[in-house]
Amino acid sequence: GPAAAALLPVRAAAAEREKRMSHGKCLTSSPHPPGDEQNSPMRVVELEILTDGYAAETAWSLLQHSTDPPTVIAQVSGGLVDHTHYPYVFRIPADASAVEFTISDSAGDGFGCCGGDGDPSNDGYFVVRLDG
C-alpha cells in the first residue's frame, strides 16, 4: 500500500516543531533522556504512534543514514493493537547524517477519516522527535 516516508537531515531537526498528521512526515525537537553510552556521543529519536481502528494495516520502519546501505534501527509489521499508544525511544550515533521514518497502511486509506472510513474515532497519528 502507499507509504509516507521522510528522509530528514539531522541538522534540520531544530527548525521543525511538533506536528500531528494522519500520514506524511514530521520531525520535532525534543530533550534527550540520559543514555548509558558514556564514551560515544548519541542522539535520541523518539517515535510516538497512536494506531487507528485498523492497526493490523499499519507497518513502519526507522532507518539511520550514516552507513551504506542505511542501518535499520527498528521496524514493525503486524502485531499492533487498534487504538493503542506506542511510545518508542531509540539512540543513534551523533554522526548519523539523517534518519528516515516510513509508515504504511496496507489498505491505502491512511490513519482514519482523512481517507479512511469517515469516523473520527478511528483516527491515528504519529510524531517523530529528534533531540534539540
Side-chain angles (χ1 to χ4, degrees):
L7 178 60
L8 304 160
V10 170
R11 65 185 170 276
E16 295 285 330
R17 294 292 170 228
E18 187 159 330
K19 298 175 185 176
R20 289 189 176 199
M21 306 176 77
S22 56
H23 57 278
K25 62 184 178 184
C26 58
L27 180 70
T28 63
S29 296
S30 166
H32 58 76
D36 54 6
E37 299 84 1
Q38 300 287 331
N39 296 325
S40 73
M42 302 297 282
R43 312 267 328 249
V44 174
V45 177
E46 296 178 58
L47 172 60
E48 176 184 346
I49 297 175
L50 175 67
T51 55
D52 63 7
Y54 306 94
E57 299 172 353
T58 303
W60 62 266
S61 67
L62 185 66
L63 304 177
Q64 168 191 319
H65 285 267
S66 59
T67 61
D68 188 23
T71 302
V72 175
I73 298 169
Q75 60 187 7
V76 170
S77 180
L80 298 173
V81 177
D82 295 354
H83 305 291
T84 301
H85 179 252
Y86 292 94
Y88 303 94
V89 176
F90 305 101
R91 287 175 174 73
I92 62 170
D95 65 350
S97 59
V99 292
E100 177 182 1
F101 174 70
T102 303
I103 190 163
S104 62
D105 176 89
S106 63
D109 59 5
F111 264 9
C113 73
C114 296
D117 63 8
D119 181 353
S121 69
N122 281 326
D123 285 359
Y125 68 84
F126 67 88
V127 178
V128 181
R129 296 179 187 94
L130 180 64
D131 60 5

